[in-house]
Amino acid sequence: MTSTSSDAQTVPAPVSVALLTLGCARNDVDSEELAGRLAADGFELVDDPEQADTVVVNTCGFVDAAKKDSIDTLLAAADLKETGRPQAVVAVGCLAERYGSELADSLPEADAVLGFDDYQDISGRLRSILAGERPHPHTPRDRRLLLPISPAERQSAASAVRTDERGVDEVEVSIPGRSAIRRRLDGGPMAPLKLASGCDRRCTFCAIPSFRGSFVSRRPSDVLAEAHWLADQGVKELFLVSENSTSYGKDLGDLGLLETLLPELAAVDGIERVRVSYLQPAETRPGLVRAIATTPGVAPYFDLSFQHASATVLRRMRRFGDPESFLGLLDQVRTLAPHAGVRSNVIVGFPGETEAEFETLCDFLVAARLDVTGVFGYSDEDGTEAASYDHKLPDDEIRARVQHLTDLVDELGAARAAERIGSTVEVLVEDLDPDQLGPADAGEVRAVEGRAAEQGPEVDGSTRLVGLTAMPRIGDIVTAAVIDTDGVDLIAEPLGEGAR
């Protein structure tokens, strides 16, 4: 007999999932790994949570404001279950890992709270949730205890990175403790690339090591293979991320490994520049400064996490440094790369911070001439040593100091940007704003947005290109002269043909 079309089995439509990511670039990489796993297992990835069967929120658990944003996003996604297509909302990421069952109890609107160990079978977890099961909430534990104390003993096995033959969207990558398939969720010309996971430092204000675990480097071959894959996806700038990039290689037996890896990454065909994030000042050695400042294709950009400048406050933070050593480090940087970009973060109102110690921080920032400084007011973080300290400052005093320092660094950042007027910059084009673009023959000033090598993604300023005679494409590098500024943002005109 000849089978009719009615005899054919109906193929069920794929389950759709929307991934919402909060927090840092490390979370962006985690979301792309989750997306890769889900796509490989038959899920359909969608951008709009209203069009998804399930919404996965990759949360941030760093500071109070980030926690609130994560919870607000989960609640907004849960509201969609009442009015739209979503059937389930699932919390993953740092907030979920850090609080687990406590978060589940306080947020019944979420259908599940999953930890990092659930990532390897994320597809199975989501299918069971959509089938009506409610998995037991993740139980938090101190992830620093899961690996040997000695860094040299942590690299028990290495998994190879290989290009996935099923399509150009996917690649097998090695992540410490697990492997995943990564799929890009953002098609922009910049992509984060994870160097390592975890942190071995014990800063008294920071809970990250307890839920991210001990420091484990990815092998250079894995990092390079993923860099080649990202280049094949059209990425022009690699943004190297970790909790502490200056520790890279210590568990592989070579603390200078990053200095060796940087020129190899910069030589990847299609990659225009490589940028390093999160340098610990006390660990930033001269060889690494030289590699970042002078290697062709590596952005002369230093993301130095000073946190404070007073030696006594830094000791209470279990960190090291003082104004003299920090200014000496900046002098090393600027001797090798006078126009290098430098950003930092500082904490104001740490327990016991005196007015004199606060003034030391202010005086240091005036002398440091940083491009951008993030200012955070101290708040107790669960499970940290500083939470138990005496001599807490009143909230209104912390707010006053934050405001004072914020006003100061805004002024200093604008002054530092103004120093760049007349300099030449290499701008990565990231946005073509149609509202600012006139037709080619209209004679109007046309403008596009991008970033100079001295500007990091999202948290720093940007560069606006004006006076274009030819329209560049997103991902082009435009050589331009800085002609003006707007706060920390630069305004520049292309030189010569402009784009290369």
Side-chain angles (χ1 to χ4, degrees):
M1 292 181 59
T2 303
S3 62
T4 64
S5 59
S6 61
D7 296 324
Q9 292 185 346
T10 302
V11 177
V15 177
S16 58
V17 57
L19 277 158
L20 307 181
T21 306
L22 297 99
C24 64
R26 297 181 290 278
N27 259 16
D28 291 336
V29 178
D30 289 347
S31 285
E32 292 194 348
E33 292 163 9
L34 291 171
R37 285 187 177 276
L38 291 166
D41 287 338
F43 280 75
E44 177 189 2
L45 301 172
V46 298
D47 295 328
D48 185 355
E50 292 190 36
Q51 302 303 315
D53 295 311
T54 182
V55 180
V56 176
V57 181
N58 190 353
T59 60
C60 178
F62 181 43
V63 293
D64 286 343
K67 296 174 193 174
K68 182 180 184 304
D69 286 345
S70 295
I71 291 172
D72 288 347
T73 302
L74 284 163
L75 290 172
D79 287 343
L80 296 177
K81 292 191 294 182
E82 303 298 325
T83 60
R85 178 172 176 174
Q87 303 169 43
V89 172
V90 178
V92 299
C94 292
L95 190 70
E97 173 68 32
R98 184 175 180 184
Y99 292 102
S101 54
E102 181 182 343
L103 177 63
D105 290 342
S106 62
L107 197 69
E109 293 87 350
D111 296 279
V113 174
L114 304 180
F116 294 152
D117 292 336
D118 292 304
Y119 285 13
Q120 294 192 46
D121 188 28
I122 187 66
S123 300
R125 297 289 191 272
L126 293 190
R127 286 197 173 94
S128 66
I129 293 165
L130 287 168
E133 297 180 22
R134 290 296 176 262
H136 189 276
H138 159 70
T139 302
R141 52 183 172 169
D142 190 337
R143 297 188 72 87
R144 292 171 294 188
L145 306 178
L146 302 182
L147 290 170
I149 293 177
S150 169
E153 297 176 4
R154 295 175 191 162
Q155 293 283 343
S156 58
S159 55
V161 178
R162 54 183 170 79
T163 301
D164 191 280
E165 296 178 353
R166 288 170 290 186
V168 295
D169 291 334
E170 300 167 354
V171 66
E172 185 82 8
V173 300
S174 171
I175 296 296
R178 64 185 191 274
S179 64
I181 296 172
R182 179 173 178 178
R183 171 171 289 201
R184 292 209 71 201
L185 296 173
D186 179 358
M190 182 282 299
L193 174 56
K194 192 178 289 187
L195 279 176
S197 293
C199 183
D200 287 341
R201 300 193 70 85
R202 296 295 181 265
C203 302
T204 58
F205 57 83
C206 182
I208 289 176
S210 65
F211 57 86
R212 278 288 184 181
S214 298
F215 186 89
V216 182
S217 303
R218 294 183 64 195
R219 293 188 176 274
S221 58
D222 297 349
V223 177
L224 279 167
E226 191 172 345
H228 280 282
W229 176 76
L230 288 169
D232 290 341
Q233 305 300 301
V235 170
K236 301 298 183 183
E237 178 178 313
L238 299 175
F239 186 40
L240 306 184
V241 299
S242 72
E243 277 74 26
N244 181 4
S245 296
T246 39
S247 285
Y248 181 72
K250 72 176 185 178
D251 51 323
L252 297 170
D254 184 359
L255 193 53
L257 197 56
L258 186 54
E259 290 95 304
T260 304
L261 181 61
L262 284 174
E264 295 186 68
L265 289 169
V268 171
D269 189 29
I271 297 301
E272 295 284 354
R273 67 186 179 209
V274 178
R275 184 182 307 277
V276 184
S277 73
Y278 206 87
L279 303 172
Q280 169 63 244
E283 297 178 22
T284 304
R285 50 204 174 271
L288 182 56
V289 172
R290 180 173 296 277
I292 295 174
T294 65
T295 301
V298 175
Y301 176 81
F302 291 81
D303 177 12
L304 293 163
S305 177
F306 290 122
Q307 301 298 356
H308 211 280
S310 164
T312 48
V313 172
L314 288 167
R315 295 302 182 274
R316 295 199 296 276
M317 291 179 169
R318 293 198 189 281
R319 295 174 71 89
F320 302 93
D322 52 47
E324 291 73 24
S325 64
F326 289 165
L327 290 173
L329 175 58
L330 292 172
D331 186 59
Q332 290 180 44
V333 167
R334 288 167 177 152
T335 297
L336 293 168
H339 295 291
V342 185
R343 84 169 320 275
S344 190
N345 296 309
V346 295
I347 296 174
V348 175
F350 192 77
E353 182 190 64
T354 64
E355 289 188 10
E357 290 168 334
F358 178 64
E359 287 301 321
T360 296
L361 173 60
C362 295
D363 291 344
F364 163 71
L365 292 174
V366 171
R369 296 169 43 242
L370 306 180
D371 292 270
V372 178
T373 305
V375 180
F376 295 88
Y378 172 82
S379 62
D380 287 339
E381 284 295 314
D382 296 334
T384 61
E385 183 179 340
S388 66
Y389 285 1
D390 295 327
H391 309 297
K392 301 282 176 60
L393 273 65
D395 289 344
D396 58 349
E397 177 63 25
I398 293 176
R399 285 193 295 270
R401 293 186 184 187
V402 167
Q403 187 60 58
H404 176 86
L405 196 59
T406 298
D407 293 341
L408 176 62
V409 299
D410 285 349
E411 179 182 340
L412 294 172
R416 176 60 176 157
E419 293 178 19
R420 297 190 181 277
I421 293 176
S423 66
T424 300
V425 291
E426 300 287 324
V427 181
L428 175 67
V429 176
E430 293 185 306
D431 184 40
L432 307 177
D433 186 349
D435 293 334
Q436 300 184 50
L437 304 178
D441 59 353
E444 299 179 22
V445 174
R446 301 188 293 179
V448 300
E449 293 290 328
R451 285 181 298 107
E454 296 79 9
Q455 297 169 318
E458 297 185 3
V459 292
D460 294 350
S462 62
T463 299
R464 184 183 181 193
L465 291 171
V466 299
L468 293 156
T469 57
M471 279 306 302
R473 298 165 300 178
I474 289 178
D476 280 344
I477 299 283
V478 176
T479 302
V482 180
I483 61 170
D484 202 354
T485 62
D486 181 7
V488 297
D489 297 330
L490 306 179
I491 301 171
E493 280 188 337
L495 296 173
E497 296 181 359
R500 63 175 171 85

